[in-house]
PDB file of all heavy atoms in Angstrom:
ATOM      1  N   LEU Z  96      -5.723 -27.654 -11.458  1.00  0.00           N
ATOM      2  CA  LEU Z  96      -5.057 -27.379 -12.741  1.00  0.00           C
ATOM      3  C   LEU Z  96      -3.722 -28.120 -12.754  1.00  0.00           C
ATOM      4  O   LEU Z  96      -3.023 -28.147 -11.730  1.00  0.00           O
ATOM      5  CB  LEU Z  96      -4.782 -25.881 -12.893  1.00  0.00           C
ATOM      6  CG  LEU Z  96      -5.958 -24.993 -13.275  1.00  0.00           C
ATOM      7  CD1 LEU Z  96      -5.570 -23.516 -13.161  1.00  0.00           C
ATOM      8  CD2 LEU Z  96      -6.437 -25.308 -14.687  1.00  0.00           C
ATOM      9  N   PRO Z  97      -3.360 -28.717 -13.895  1.00  0.00           N
ATOM     10  CA  PRO Z  97      -2.050 -29.374 -13.973  1.00  0.00           C
ATOM     11  C   PRO Z  97      -0.942 -28.404 -13.561  1.00  0.00           C
ATOM     12  O   PRO Z  97      -0.850 -27.297 -14.083  1.00  0.00           O
ATOM     13  CB  PRO Z  97      -1.923 -29.749 -15.454  1.00  0.00           C
ATOM     14  CG  PRO Z  97      -3.322 -29.794 -15.962  1.00  0.00           C
ATOM     15  CD  PRO Z  97      -4.094 -28.775 -15.160  1.00  0.00           C
ATOM     16  N   THR Z  98      -0.125 -28.840 -12.601  1.00  0.00           N
ATOM     17  CA  THR Z  98       0.885 -27.956 -12.009  1.00  0.00           C
ATOM     18  C   THR Z  98       2.251 -28.646 -11.990  1.00  0.00           C
ATOM     19  O   THR Z  98       2.343 -29.828 -11.639  1.00  0.00           O
ATOM     20  CB  THR Z  98       0.460 -27.595 -10.563  1.00  0.00           C
ATOM     21  OG1 THR Z  98      -0.770 -26.866 -10.627  1.00  0.00           O
ATOM     22  CG2 THR Z  98       1.510 -26.766  -9.847  1.00  0.00           C
ATOM     23  N   VAL Z  99       3.267 -27.890 -12.391  1.00  0.00           N
ATOM     24  CA  VAL Z  99       4.639 -28.397 -12.293  1.00  0.00           C
ATOM     25  C   VAL Z  99       5.395 -27.527 -11.286  1.00  0.00           C
ATOM     26  O   VAL Z  99       5.341 -26.297 -11.351  1.00  0.00           O
ATOM     27  CB  VAL Z  99       5.348 -28.405 -13.666  1.00  0.00           C
ATOM     28  CG1 VAL Z  99       6.837 -28.725 -13.502  1.00  0.00           C
ATOM     29  CG2 VAL Z  99       4.700 -29.424 -14.597  1.00  0.00           C
ATOM     30  N   GLU Z 100       6.050 -28.187 -10.337  1.00  0.00           N
ATOM     31  CA  GLU Z 100       6.827 -27.504  -9.294  1.00  0.00           C
ATOM     32  C   GLU Z 100       8.290 -27.438  -9.740  1.00  0.00           C
ATOM     33  O   GLU Z 100       8.846 -28.459 -10.146  1.00  0.00           O
ATOM     34  CB  GLU Z 100       6.705 -28.323  -8.002  1.00  0.00           C
ATOM     35  CG  GLU Z 100       7.563 -27.827  -6.857  1.00  0.00           C
ATOM     36  CD  GLU Z 100       7.538 -28.801  -5.664  1.00  0.00           C
ATOM     37  OE1 GLU Z 100       6.758 -29.775  -5.668  1.00  0.00           O
ATOM     38  OE2 GLU Z 100       8.342 -28.578  -4.749  1.00  0.00           O
ATOM     39  N   VAL Z 101       8.874 -26.248  -9.669  1.00  0.00           N
ATOM     40  CA  VAL Z 101      10.290 -26.128 -10.042  1.00  0.00           C
ATOM     41  C   VAL Z 101      11.091 -25.439  -8.945  1.00  0.00           C
ATOM     42  O   VAL Z 101      10.556 -24.619  -8.185  1.00  0.00           O
ATOM     43  CB  VAL Z 101      10.501 -25.363 -11.382  1.00  0.00           C
ATOM     44  CG1 VAL Z 101       9.838 -26.082 -12.535  1.00  0.00           C
ATOM     45  CG2 VAL Z 101      10.037 -23.932 -11.307  1.00  0.00           C
ATOM     46  N   HIS Z 102      12.366 -25.794  -8.865  1.00  0.00           N
ATOM     47  CA  HIS Z 102      13.313 -25.143  -7.958  1.00  0.00           C
ATOM     48  C   HIS Z 102      14.639 -25.002  -8.680  1.00  0.00           C
ATOM     49  O   HIS Z 102      15.046 -25.918  -9.421  1.00  0.00           O
ATOM     50  CB  HIS Z 102      13.540 -25.978  -6.701  1.00  0.00           C
ATOM     51  CG  HIS Z 102      12.281 -26.226  -5.930  1.00  0.00           C
ATOM     52  ND1 HIS Z 102      11.736 -25.295  -5.091  1.00  0.00           N
ATOM     53  CD2 HIS Z 102      11.446 -27.297  -5.919  1.00  0.00           C
ATOM     54  CE1 HIS Z 102      10.614 -25.787  -4.572  1.00  0.00           C
ATOM     55  NE2 HIS Z 102      10.417 -26.997  -5.065  1.00  0.00           N
ATOM     56  N   LEU Z 103      15.312 -23.884  -8.439  1.00  0.00           N
ATOM     57  CA  LEU Z 103      16.643 -23.717  -9.015  1.00  0.00           C
ATOM     58  C   LEU Z 103      17.614 -24.721  -8.406  1.00  0.00           C
ATOM     59  O   LEU Z 103      18.385 -25.371  -9.105  1.00  0.00           O
ATOM     60  CB  LEU Z 103      17.149 -22.292  -8.757  1.00  0.00           C
ATOM     61  CG  LEU Z 103      16.332 -21.189  -9.421  1.00  0.00           C
ATOM     62  CD1 LEU Z 103      15.736 -20.258  -8.390  1.00  0.00           C
ATOM     63  CD2 LEU Z 103      17.179 -20.413 -10.397  1.00  0.00           C
ATOM     64  N   SER Z 104      17.576 -24.826  -7.076  1.00  0.00           N
ATOM     65  CA  SER Z 104      18.517 -25.708  -6.378  1.00  0.00           C
ATOM     66  C   SER Z 104      17.919 -27.104  -6.248  1.00  0.00           C
ATOM     67  O   SER Z 104      16.695 -27.285  -6.358  1.00  0.00           O
ATOM     68  CB  SER Z 104      18.827 -25.136  -4.990  1.00  0.00           C
ATOM     69  OG  SER Z 104      17.647 -25.099  -4.195  1.00  0.00           O
ATOM     70  N   ASN Z 105      18.790 -28.080  -5.999  1.00  0.00           N
ATOM     71  CA  ASN Z 105      18.318 -29.438  -5.734  1.00  0.00           C
ATOM     72  C   ASN Z 105      17.965 -29.519  -4.246  1.00  0.00           C
ATOM     73  O   ASN Z 105      18.846 -29.729  -3.409  1.00  0.00           O
ATOM     74  CB  ASN Z 105      19.390 -30.459  -6.100  1.00  0.00           C
ATOM     75  CG  ASN Z 105      18.918 -31.885  -5.851  1.00  0.00           C
ATOM     76  OD1 ASN Z 105      17.876 -32.103  -5.220  1.00  0.00           O
ATOM     77  ND2 ASN Z 105      19.665 -32.854  -6.328  1.00  0.00           N
ATOM     78  N   ILE Z 106      16.681 -29.336  -3.941  1.00  0.00           N
ATOM     79  CA  ILE Z 106      16.255 -29.229  -2.534  1.00  0.00           C
ATOM     80  C   ILE Z 106      16.554 -30.514  -1.757  1.00  0.00           C
ATOM     81  O   ILE Z 106      16.691 -30.479  -0.544  1.00  0.00           O
ATOM     82  CB  ILE Z 106      14.756 -28.852  -2.412  1.00  0.00           C
ATOM     83  CG1 ILE Z 106      13.853 -29.846  -3.148  1.00  0.00           C
ATOM     84  CG2 ILE Z 106      14.517 -27.440  -2.908  1.00  0.00           C
ATOM     85  CD1 ILE Z 106      12.353 -29.588  -2.943  1.00  0.00           C
ATOM     86  N   HIS Z 107      16.708 -31.625  -2.458  1.00  0.00           N
ATOM     87  CA  HIS Z 107      16.955 -32.909  -1.788  1.00  0.00           C
ATOM     88  C   HIS Z 107      18.411 -33.087  -1.362  1.00  0.00           C
ATOM     89  O   HIS Z 107      18.734 -33.987  -0.594  1.00  0.00           O
ATOM     90  CB  HIS Z 107      16.499 -34.061  -2.692  1.00  0.00           C
ATOM     91  CG  HIS Z 107      15.068 -33.895  -3.098  1.00  0.00           C
ATOM     92  ND1 HIS Z 107      14.021 -34.098  -2.231  1.00  0.00           N
ATOM     93  CD2 HIS Z 107      14.515 -33.469  -4.264  1.00  0.00           C
ATOM     94  CE1 HIS Z 107      12.885 -33.821  -2.846  1.00  0.00           C
ATOM     95  NE2 HIS Z 107      13.152 -33.435  -4.081  1.00  0.00           N
ATOM     96  N   ARG Z 108      19.280 -32.237  -1.895  1.00  0.00           N
ATOM     97  CA  ARG Z 108      20.699 -32.276  -1.508  1.00  0.00           C
ATOM     98  C   ARG Z 108      21.021 -31.246  -0.440  1.00  0.00           C
ATOM     99  O   ARG Z 108      22.159 -31.092  -0.050  1.00  0.00           O
ATOM    100  CB  ARG Z 108      21.584 -31.952  -2.727  1.00  0.00           C
ATOM    101  CG  ARG Z 108      21.706 -33.063  -3.698  1.00  0.00           C
ATOM    102  CD  ARG Z 108      22.558 -32.639  -4.872  1.00  0.00           C
ATOM    103  NE  ARG Z 108      23.958 -32.474  -4.519  1.00  0.00           N
ATOM    104  CZ  ARG Z 108      24.932 -32.342  -5.411  1.00  0.00           C
ATOM    105  NH1 ARG Z 108      24.637 -32.352  -6.704  1.00  0.00           N
ATOM    106  NH2 ARG Z 108      26.163 -32.206  -5.034  1.00  0.00           N
ATOM    107  N   ARG Z 109      20.017 -30.502  -0.019  1.00  0.00           N
ATOM    108  CA  ARG Z 109      20.258 -29.395   0.899  1.00  0.00           C
ATOM    109  C   ARG Z 109      19.808 -29.758   2.324  1.00  0.00           C
ATOM    110  O   ARG Z 109      19.710 -30.929   2.660  1.00  0.00           O
ATOM    111  CB  ARG Z 109      19.563 -28.139   0.349  1.00  0.00           C
ATOM    112  CG  ARG Z 109      20.095 -27.747  -1.041  1.00  0.00           C
ATOM    113  CD  ARG Z 109      19.469 -26.466  -1.539  1.00  0.00           C
ATOM    114  NE  ARG Z 109      19.774 -25.352  -0.654  1.00  0.00           N
ATOM    115  CZ  ARG Z 109      19.110 -24.190  -0.652  1.00  0.00           C
ATOM    116  NH1 ARG Z 109      18.116 -24.012  -1.526  1.00  0.00           N
ATOM    117  NH2 ARG Z 109      19.427 -23.235   0.193  1.00  0.00           N
ATOM    118  N   GLU Z 110      19.550 -28.752   3.143  1.00  0.00           N
ATOM    119  CA  GLU Z 110      19.172 -29.006   4.537  1.00  0.00           C
ATOM    120  C   GLU Z 110      17.933 -29.910   4.586  1.00  0.00           C
ATOM    121  O   GLU Z 110      17.064 -29.821   3.725  1.00  0.00           O
ATOM    122  CB  GLU Z 110      18.834 -27.694   5.262  1.00  0.00           C
ATOM    123  CG  GLU Z 110      19.931 -26.642   5.259  1.00  0.00           C
ATOM    124  CD  GLU Z 110      19.762 -25.633   4.142  1.00  0.00           C
ATOM    125  OE1 GLU Z 110      19.377 -26.017   3.016  1.00  0.00           O
ATOM    126  OE2 GLU Z 110      20.040 -24.444   4.389  1.00  0.00           O
ATOM    127  N   GLU Z 111      17.880 -30.688   5.657  1.00  0.00           N
ATOM    128  CA  GLU Z 111      16.781 -31.639   5.849  1.00  0.00           C
ATOM    129  C   GLU Z 111      15.390 -30.966   5.701  1.00  0.00           C
ATOM    130  O   GLU Z 111      14.477 -31.531   5.098  1.00  0.00           O
ATOM    131  CB  GLU Z 111      16.924 -32.244   7.252  1.00  0.00           C
ATOM    132  CG  GLU Z 111      15.914 -33.327   7.581  1.00  0.00           C
ATOM    133  CD  GLU Z 111      16.459 -34.717   7.327  1.00  0.00           C
ATOM    134  OE1 GLU Z 111      17.688 -34.910   7.487  1.00  0.00           O
ATOM    135  OE2 GLU Z 111      15.651 -35.587   6.969  1.00  0.00           O
ATOM    136  N   PHE Z 112      15.247 -29.732   6.234  1.00  0.00           N
ATOM    137  CA  PHE Z 112      13.926 -29.092   6.212  1.00  0.00           C
ATOM    138  C   PHE Z 112      13.461 -28.756   4.801  1.00  0.00           C
ATOM    139  O   PHE Z 112      12.280 -28.485   4.575  1.00  0.00           O
ATOM    140  CB  PHE Z 112      13.886 -27.846   7.120  1.00  0.00           C
ATOM    141  CG  PHE Z 112      14.731 -26.680   6.645  1.00  0.00           C
ATOM    142  CD1 PHE Z 112      14.224 -25.766   5.730  1.00  0.00           C
ATOM    143  CD2 PHE Z 112      16.015 -26.502   7.122  1.00  0.00           C
ATOM    144  CE1 PHE Z 112      14.984 -24.689   5.289  1.00  0.00           C
ATOM    145  CE2 PHE Z 112      16.799 -25.427   6.691  1.00  0.00           C
ATOM    146  CZ  PHE Z 112      16.287 -24.521   5.778  1.00  0.00           C
TER     147      PHE Z 112
END
Side-chain angles (χ1 to χ4, degrees):
L96 283 171
T98 297
V99 171
E100 174 188 353
V101 299
H102 301 280
L103 296 119
S104 63
N105 181 349
I106 57 175
H107 305 287
R108 284 178 70 168
R109 300 183 61 197
E110 303 96 321
E111 184 96 32
F112 68 85

